Amino acid sequence: MRHVIALDVGGTGMKAALIDGSGGLLHQNRRATGRERGPDAVVRGIVDFAAELSAYGAERFGEPAAAIGVAVPGIVDETDGIAVYSANLGWRDVPLRDLVAERLGVPVALGHDVRTGGLAEGRIGAGRGADRFLFVPLGTGIAGAIGLDGRVEAGAHGFAGEIGHIVVRPGGAPCPCGQIGCLERYASAAAVSEAWASVSGDPGADAADCAKAVASGDPNAVRVWQEAVDALADGLVTALTLLDPRTLIIGGGLAEAGDTLFTPLRDAVRRRVTFQKLPSIVPAALGDTAGCLGAGLLARDLLATTDAPETTDALDTTDPSEVSA
């Protein structure tokens, strides 16, 4: 059975899948990234994991994978297949695409994790059918993926979509990027967690706890939450002014708060627009599987450049418990 390998590398864990020609999930697996062992060990772990997945596919389905898609965090040169930099994983200028290709002997596509997740959300998730979308996951930081007609724009140097570093509070909190007042210092899950831990007096409190307190009517939580929502709305209006997306997809940890986030956010964005067209603001649909599913799409797109199309854009998002472990 012809299939591809999809591999999503995170700061702490890796998610992988084998995906068949019609987009069905044949096999899923997860393992630790092992960053505590250092960047060289992480790279070896990625290559070894890909090789194991290929061997499993060959044994189970009669042939090895036809292509591989790999999504990684940090700065990524997708054209040359270089994992340029990752603070979490500690690597610099890793020719990851070539390392995997040399080991497995098949075509490899390398992508940025957020852009890859955005590709999946745009084609088969919350943005399906939208010709222009912006995917913004709100996690430890804030990034973005700019969707254009079924693809995601990387930019001239690979930095397109870095909405988390739009300055929304001039003179505000310093950001590790070197600027002052960046959006992710106010509206990321990490920022909300930090603010709520300080206000609540509980050093272990996080953004999910803040959302629960908001839902219960705690005025201090409401204030912390609204400050984050206002900062997020300021950043999003800047982005939609520049990009004019038809759909704005919000994902990541904060999006799990549901209406506690989306109701005030939609109101805040609506109050700020003047001449701009208000996009649909919707929650992401694929959760933490987006990066892996997007990596599968990268692999299938790679095959499509040399083969006649044999698949549709749809991926089967069957519950993982229903496929082989």
Side-chain angles (χ1 to χ4, degrees):
M1 179 182 293
R2 200 165 197 235
H3 61 276
V4 299
I5 294 172
L7 183 55
D8 178 22
V9 180
T12 58
M14 296 186 283
K15 296 181 283 291
L18 301 184
I19 299 172
D20 69 17
S22 63
L25 293 175
L26 302 172
H27 170 72
Q28 291 181 308
N29 200 353
R30 298 191 183 212
R31 69 176 49 176
T33 303
R35 63 179 179 177
E36 69 280 356
R37 299 195 302 270
D40 291 342
V42 170
V43 173
R44 287 195 301 271
I46 293 169
V47 177
D48 288 346
F49 194 16
E52 291 174 24
L53 291 161
S54 180
Y56 176 90
E59 179 181 356
R60 181 71 181 272
F61 306 114
E63 63 178 68
I68 304 172
V70 183
V72 297
I75 301 171
V76 183
D77 181 343
E78 295 163 332
T79 301
D80 291 333
I82 307 294
V84 178
Y85 174 71
S86 171
N88 286 335
L89 299 179
W91 62 32
R92 286 183 181 272
D93 298 321
V94 178
L96 192 57
R97 182 181 67 191
D98 289 348
L99 291 173
V100 176
E102 287 168 7
R103 177 73 174 273
L104 274 68
V106 297
V108 178
L110 184 68
H112 180 272
D113 57 351
V114 173
R115 289 196 290 269
T116 302
L119 180 68
E121 284 289 353
R123 286 199 197 171
I124 61 174
R128 188 170 187 173
D131 55 346
R132 301 288 188 274
F133 69 88
L134 178 63
F135 170 55
V136 181
L138 309 173
T140 303
I142 299 177
I146 303 167
L148 304 168
D149 294 323
R151 65 181 180 84
V152 173
E153 173 59 44
H157 306 96
F159 298 116
E162 289 291 346
I163 184 177
H165 298 289
I166 290 176
V167 174
V168 295
R169 298 293 181 265
C175 179
C177 80
Q179 297 188 122
I180 303 295
C182 286
L183 174 61
E184 71 174 37
R185 293 293 293 118
Y186 296 91
S188 64
V192 175
S193 295
E194 180 182 346
W196 179 234
S198 176
V199 169
S200 67
D202 178 1
D206 60 15
D209 296 321
C210 184
K212 291 175 184 175
V214 170
S216 68
D218 185 311
N220 290 323
V222 170
R223 176 174 56 81
V224 168
W225 194 260
Q226 191 61 50
E227 287 174 356
V229 167
D230 286 340
L232 180 56
D234 288 340
L236 292 176
V237 170
T238 297
L240 68 89
T241 302
L242 292 171
L243 301 173
D244 189 25
R246 197 173 307 279
T247 304
L248 181 55
I249 306 167
I250 308 296
L254 281 191
E256 295 176 5
D259 288 344
T260 301
L261 173 67
F262 284 92
T263 297
L265 180 60
R266 290 182 181 117
D267 289 342
V269 172
R270 188 179 297 109
R271 289 196 305 269
R272 284 163 172 77
V273 298
T274 54
F275 66 90
Q276 306 95 332
K277 292 293 186 181
L278 188 67
S280 298
I281 302 177
V282 300
L286 303 176
D288 71 351
T289 67
C292 190
L293 293 171
L297 289 171
L298 289 180
R300 294 170 62 202
D301 286 352
L302 191 60
L303 287 180
T305 63
T306 56
D307 298 346
E310 63 177 41
T311 66
T312 67
D313 278 342
L315 283 176
D316 180 2
T317 53
T318 305
D319 188 291
S321 64
E322 299 175 0
V323 298
S324 53

